[in-house]
Amino acid sequence: DGWQKMSTAIGGLINQDIYMYDQTGLSVKDIQAIARQHKRDHPDLKFIVVDHIGLMELGDSKGRHDLQVGEISKTLKNLAKEMETPVCMLTQLVGKQIMQRPMKDRVPVAQDVKDSSRCEEDSDLILLCHRQQVHDDKAPNIAEIVFAKARHAVRGTRIYFRFVDGHFTPTDQSMAYNTMDAYYNEKSQPKQKNF
């Protein structure tokens, strides 16, 4: 049934104006120039996605990595303001930090974002994907999108999806919340000893 799913997905995209610049090693200045030119050619531009910061040219190889990432973050924030168009920057999480925490506390937080301090400062919204089943095969098969930072929403809000064959699929939000809440509460209770 994979072909049917792929055909349906392509059908949804076929009439959309989606443009991709499939090139790694772009600097933030390159991205600025491409975005500005694209906005001139297509004034109804609605959204820009940079995938991802780890593939970008950071500039001076001898400079401090955190400062270079901070400069990229600041530049993309200014680009969004200048063009009045949201810019989404994808980045990685620091997996070691997450794996060192107890099982029930492995929901990622903003500080788990690689080079987080400046990215966190510049961002209006930080969304983190989490699936507890990766850490505990007895966990419900529910994926959570966590609002780790939200200037115009409530921080900590979660949106739930079923995770089926590697895809997020819609689910009843209150049911998913209750399921995950029960799971986390059970994990936080000390286990009773059998005598």
Side-chain angles (χ1 to χ4, degrees):
D1 64 342
W3 288 108
Q4 178 59 41
K5 289 178 183 175
M6 190 170 81
S7 298
T8 303
I10 290 172
L13 295 174
I14 208 157
N15 293 321
Q16 301 293 322
D17 291 330
I18 298 173
Y19 298 87
M20 291 187 200
Y21 293 87
D22 188 13
Q23 187 177 346
T24 58
L26 293 173
S27 71
V28 73
K29 300 291 183 197
D30 295 331
I31 291 171
Q32 274 183 311
I34 291 166
R36 286 174 179 146
Q37 181 61 51
H38 192 84
K39 184 80 169 184
R40 282 192 291 275
D41 295 343
H42 307 276
D44 60 342
L45 176 65
K46 299 283 191 290
F47 195 53
I48 298 168
V49 179
V50 178
D51 180 15
H52 66 82
I53 197 167
L55 298 175
M56 291 177 65
E57 179 63 48
L58 293 179
D60 181 9
S61 60
K62 295 179 183 170
R64 277 184 43 195
H65 182 75
D66 60 328
L67 295 178
Q68 292 173 335
V69 169
E71 189 58 34
I72 290 171
S73 177
K74 183 176 100 175
T75 303
L76 292 177
K77 172 78 171 188
N78 290 335
L79 180 67
K81 288 180 177 180
E82 170 197 330
M83 297 179 60
E84 298 180 348
T85 304
V87 175
C88 174
M89 179 181 69
L90 304 181
T91 187
Q92 293 176 309
L93 297 177
V94 182
K96 280 184 183 174
Q97 285 178 195
I98 296 170
M99 296 306 286
Q100 289 171 352
R101 297 199 288 257
M103 186 78 72
K104 67 180 181 60
D105 295 326
R106 290 191 180 169
V107 176
V109 295
Q111 291 77 21
D112 294 326
V113 173
K114 198 168 181 181
D115 304 307
S116 65
S117 58
R118 188 55 188 266
C119 295
E120 189 177 353
E121 185 181 310
D122 291 330
S123 300
D124 291 320
L125 183 64
I126 297 177
L127 299 177
L128 303 172
C129 298
H130 174 66
R131 206 162 52 89
Q132 186 65 20
Q133 203 174 55
V134 169
H135 307 289
D136 178 5
D137 59 5
K138 294 182 177 70
N141 191 22
I142 293 175
E144 304 170 80
I145 307 297
V146 182
F147 285 53
K149 178 180 178 182
R151 266 197 191 137
H152 308 294
V154 178
R155 188 170 65 90
T157 297
R158 295 183 190 195
I159 300 171
Y160 300 94
F161 294 91
R162 284 245 169 246
F163 195 75
V164 180
D165 296 329
H167 299 280
F168 293 113
T169 60
T171 190
D172 178 84
Q173 295 297 296
S174 60
M175 181 278 301
Y177 168 82
N178 291 333
T179 301
M180 291 310 295
D181 189 50
Y183 167 81
Y184 287 126
N185 284 333
E186 179 189 334
K187 287 294 176 186
S188 65
Q189 300 299 322
K191 290 212 183 280
Q192 293 183 347
K193 291 182 180 176
N194 293 324
F195 293 99

